[in-house]
Amino acid sequence: KQWYQRRVAITAGTLTKTTSKLFSSTPNNYLKGCKWSPDGLALLTCSRDKIVRIFNIPDITTTTVEQHPTAQHSAANVPYDVEWNPEIDHLSAGNCNFAVSCKDSPVQLVNAFTGATLASFTAFNNVEVLISAFSVCYLSRDKVLGGYCKHVRVFDATRPGRDCTVIPVGDLQHQNNNSIVSTVAAHPTVDGLFGAGCYNSTVGLYSSQIKGVLMPFYGPQHGVTQILFSKDGNRLYCGSRMEGEIYCFDTRYNGSVLHTYHRDVQTNQRIQFDINKSESMLATGNHDGTVLLFDLSGEQSVVNQEDDGMSELRFEAHTDTVNGVSFHPYWGLLATVSGRRHFHIEDSETEENSLKIWSF
């Protein structure tokens, strides 16, 4: 009875906005994720045409015509990762920037109003060759963290340049790491603590003050593409490429697996998942164009249980792979983006590169 009550509490979203012509001007211009700003006043997308676009929330909710970005940033290459400043405030114009990393370029801070580059943070290897960050996040308002091959680097956002702190990210089994740090996430309650995932399927908890892994997490069998902390930092969610599970780890008890949530992932691209502000719902994209919603209200009372007995809802959002989902931090809105690389060998393949906003 309790499971049924949780199940009927989840309902499919109502489509309120679609933007597709903007991304369909060139073939294979698939999107690579979307993120609402922490203050909820802007939505960020990046796509294969090397452009990071910023959409304002008033335009999305009050009109039915195709949405146009209020600002955009032309990157040097296809972006690897983007992240909003956690203390952004559009109303006071404070900290209105985001970090972006792309191939053969330094990590850059970009003005969210104009799309202009504010600062660059460069990294060089032992032969003075520029190396690129594959992932990026903010440790705090003035600390930017970049994930590289075999290590992460912490930059001071107030001092652009190459000065940084290097933190090795080692292989959890062989004490060495030959893989790429594909995703990083700051701990929400402990300063200097962060999680890192690699393409060699390792996940660990690290500190900017202590060398070495503080807590390893075991479970993923393929390259990790995204990690996400709960608001209290007690749970760490992890998703991988070519793997149909999202793992929920307990960071209090040696990284034990609390739950696994099944989804459909058949490509090497990052398939985003997100949790709403009340932490009652988890959303994830799927290879078949659907969005899965999981009820998290029963997480606290269930240990080591798969999602077979939990509430879930699947609804059709796109006709192509849904690679990005993002809950609005305050309103009942969910943004989804779609697209993947098509080789057009078969006529039956459907290509859809679009942004959609759903209300709940």
Side-chain angles (χ1 to χ4, degrees), residues 105-109 117-124 128 130-131 142 144 146 148 153-166:
S105 296
V107 175
Q108 294 182 329
L109 293 190
T117 301
L118 299 175
S120 296
F121 305 95
T122 55
F124 297 88
E128 291 296 313
L130 178 70
I131 55 178
D142 55 357
V144 179
Y148 296 82
R153 300 189 181 214
V154 182
F155 299 94
D156 187 342
T158 63
R159 300 183 62 185
R162 59 187 300 174
D163 293 339
C164 62
T165 301
V166 179

Side-chain angles (χ1 to χ4, degrees), residues 23-301:
F23 305 103
S24 302
S25 57
T26 57
N28 267 328
N29 185 28
Y30 51 85
L31 286 94
K32 297 189 63 179
C34 60
K35 290 184 179 181
W36 289 104
S37 62
D39 62 359
L41 296 180
L43 176 67
L44 181 151
T45 66
C46 55
S47 51
R48 189 174 177 267
D49 59 4
K50 308 177 186 179
I51 298 178
V52 180
R53 296 176 173 87
I54 300 97
F55 300 88
N56 277 352
I57 182 69
D59 296 326
I60 293 175
T61 57
T62 60
T63 181
T64 58
V65 298
E66 284 275 333
Q67 175 67 33
H68 294 281
T70 56
Q72 63 183 36
H73 170 72
S74 297
N77 214 315
V78 180
Y80 285 135
D81 198 9
V82 291
E83 185 63 41
W84 287 102
N85 189 313
E87 298 186 16
I88 188 173
D89 185 1
H90 281 84
L91 297 180
S92 64
N95 303 309
C96 287
N97 57 72
F98 59 88
V100 58
S101 64
C102 59
K103 183 179 179 181
D104 299 328
S105 296
V107 175
Q108 294 182 329
L109 293 190
V110 180
N111 188 307
F113 286 119
T114 64
T117 301
L118 299 175
S120 296
F121 305 95
T122 55
F124 297 88
N125 60 14
N126 58 336
V127 292
E128 291 296 313
V129 174
L130 178 70
I131 55 178
S132 306
F134 296 91
S135 54
V136 65
C137 77
Y138 283 82
L139 271 183
S140 62
R141 179 181 64 181
D142 55 357
K143 297 292 183 183
V144 179
L145 179 69
Y148 296 82
C149 184
K150 305 182 183 180
H151 67 279
V152 299
R153 300 189 181 214
V154 182
F155 299 94
D156 187 342
T158 63
R159 300 183 62 185
R162 59 187 300 174
D163 293 339
C164 62
T165 301
V166 179
I167 304 174
V169 177
D171 188 290
L172 307 182
Q173 297 178 350
H174 303 94
Q175 299 304 316
N176 59 23
N177 181 22
N178 295 317
S179 185
I180 291 170
V181 182
S182 53
T183 175
V184 287
H187 195 279
T189 61
V190 181
D191 293 338
L193 202 63
F194 64 92
C198 301
Y199 279 144
N200 63 359
S201 76
T202 59
V203 183
L205 195 63
Y206 299 86
S207 172
S208 60
Q209 307 297 326
I210 304 174
K211 289 186 177 182
V213 60
L214 302 180
M215 182 183 296
F217 302 96
Y218 301 101
Q221 302 299 314
H222 299 276
V224 178
T225 56
Q226 184 185 0
I227 58 175
L228 178 67
F229 282 101
S230 60
K231 287 196 303 183
D232 57 9
N234 292 336
R235 298 182 302 280
L236 178 67
Y237 298 84
C238 171
S240 305
R241 60 186 182 183
M242 297 296 293
E243 185 171 0
E245 286 83 26
I246 297 175
Y247 294 90
C248 175
F249 297 104
D250 192 336
T251 60
R252 300 166 296 178
Y253 300 106
N254 297 322
S256 57
V257 178
L258 290 177
H259 311 278
T260 55
Y261 304 95
H262 293 286
R263 59 178 181 171
D264 181 21
V265 178
Q266 300 179 24
T267 65
N268 285 317
Q269 67 187 133
R270 176 184 292 140
I271 304 295
Q272 281 184 331
F273 58 88
D274 196 20
I275 300 174
N276 64 348
K277 184 176 179 61
S278 62
E279 295 192 319
S280 61
M281 191 184 304
L282 182 148
T284 178
N286 279 301
H287 180 79
D288 59 0
T290 61
V291 171
L292 269 173
L293 301 175
F294 294 98
D295 180 17
L296 303 184
S297 59
E299 261 195 359
Q300 303 292 342
S301 59

